Amino acid sequence: AQTVTQSQPEMSVQEAETVTLSCTYDTSESDYYLFWYKQPPSRQMILVIRQEAYKQQNATENRFSVNFQKAAKSFSLKISDSQLGDAAMYFCAQYTGNQFYFGTGTSLTVIP
Amino acid sequence: DTGVSQDPRHKITKRGQNVTFRCDPISEHNRLYWYRQTLGQGPEFLTYFQNEAQLEKSRLLSDRFSAERPKGSFSTLEIQRTEQGDSAMYLCASSSARNQPQHFGDGTRLSIL
């Protein structure tokens, strides 16, 4: 079975500081993809960053980067220079087969 | 690109009634997904279409739930004989290819009285 675990229900960060959100996953598949999605309050889910499992290089997207540790099945998200607009629920997701599997989310608060 | 649209945004109904939701994916996307999301949880996969074919269906999906995508464009999700536990946000997402990210709609929030 595929599982995605986010062990931090809530996190907070000072504006302009850096925060790292944790995610671990479990799969026996060799072909999969990993994503981080952001869901602001009462708004739709939007993609933050994606990582192909076959790529060793960590994905980056402006202030967002991942630390992909394939052997450890870890996929953490680092947000640099945090902004007030980064406050949201963050979901880690794994795509295997034809299904996405989501974690339970981490609620990020940005303190001005 | 107008994004994924879902209708209605909110639905309030009495227990035992049938409800139907609609999802219009991004026009060039052939893959369409339905999810259910309850408060404090991540989206839970319900079913997946590639064009008009329903290729995956969660074991969690009871026989009261049915989904269609008759012409490979919009999709409907019907829940028959609704129960209190069906109260949730129902999300639709579409993508252009297997490994491409999904684009989500705003969801339909279902409340069962």
Side-chain angles (χ1 to χ4, degrees):
Chain A
Q2 324 296 328
T3 58
V4 178
T5 303
Q6 293 179 250
S7 59
Q8 306 153 316
E10 297 178 347
M11 291 282 285
S12 61
V13 62
Q14 205 78 30
E15 194 176 4
E17 297 297 309
T18 295
V19 64
T20 298
L21 308 184
S22 301
C23 173
T24 58
Y25 60 94
D26 187 17
T27 183
S28 57
E29 302 290 331
S30 58
D31 181 22
Y32 59 91
Y33 301 83
L34 298 166
F35 301 83
W36 278 97
Y37 280 89
K38 168 185 176 182
Q39 188 176 39
S42 301
R43 298 186 65 183
Q44 65 181 217
M45 301 258 287
I46 55 175
L47 177 70
V48 174
I49 198 166
R50 67 186 281 246
Q51 173 83 42
E52 293 90 342
Y54 60 85
K55 288 188 177 179
Q56 292 185 334
Q57 186 174 7
N58 289 325
T60 62
E61 195 72 41
N62 300 316
R63 298 182 295 107
F64 299 88
S65 61
V66 298
N67 183 4
F68 176 43
Q69 301 290 327
K70 191 170 183 178
K73 295 181 179 175
S74 170
F75 183 62
S76 60
L77 174 69
K78 185 171 83 171
I79 306 174
S80 304
D81 185 26
S82 297
Q83 301 175 359
L84 296 178
D86 294 334
M89 198 75 170
Y90 286 80
F91 291 99
C92 178
Q94 176 194 345
Y95 182 80
T96 304
N98 289 317
Q99 294 192 28
F100 273 78
Y101 301 88
F102 286 83
T104 52
T106 296
S107 178
L108 179 66
T109 300
V110 180
I111 303 165
Chain B
D1 180 357
T2 57
V4 178
S5 63
Q6 291 187 246
D7 183 70
R9 292 291 304 276
H10 304 276
K11 179 70 176 180
I12 301 173
T13 192
K14 293 182 178 179
R15 182 168 55 91
Q17 297 295 305
N18 299 343
V19 294
T20 300
F21 311 140
R22 176 178 170 125
C23 171
D24 286 89
I26 292 172
S27 58
E28 63 266 25
H29 287 183
N30 62 352
R31 293 169 176 254
L32 186 147
Y33 303 78
W34 283 100
Y35 295 88
R36 176 171 58 196
Q37 186 178 23
T38 54
L39 198 62
Q41 298 296 316
E44 177 185 45
F45 171 81
L46 293 179
T47 191
Y48 154 68
F49 289 85
Q50 185 168 337
N51 300 310
E52 66 276 9
Q54 187 175 19
L55 298 184
E56 294 278 352
K57 193 174 176 180
S58 170
R59 285 171 292 177
L60 302 173
L61 208 61
S62 80
D63 56 8
R64 296 184 298 105
F65 286 71
S66 62
E68 294 183 341
R69 195 181 182 198
K71 296 182 180 179
S73 56
F74 73 91
S75 175
T76 57
L77 177 68
E78 181 182 15
I79 309 174
Q80 296 182 327
R81 304 181 304 281
T82 52
E83 301 173 356
Q84 290 284 351
D86 296 332
S87 294
M89 176 74 85
Y90 289 84
L91 296 170
C92 177
S94 70
S95 69
S96 59
R98 180 177 173 272
N99 60 345
Q100 293 302 306
Q102 299 184 336
H103 297 258
F104 284 83
D106 289 333
T108 294
R109 182 169 297 282
L110 175 64
S111 298
I112 306 298
L113 301 178

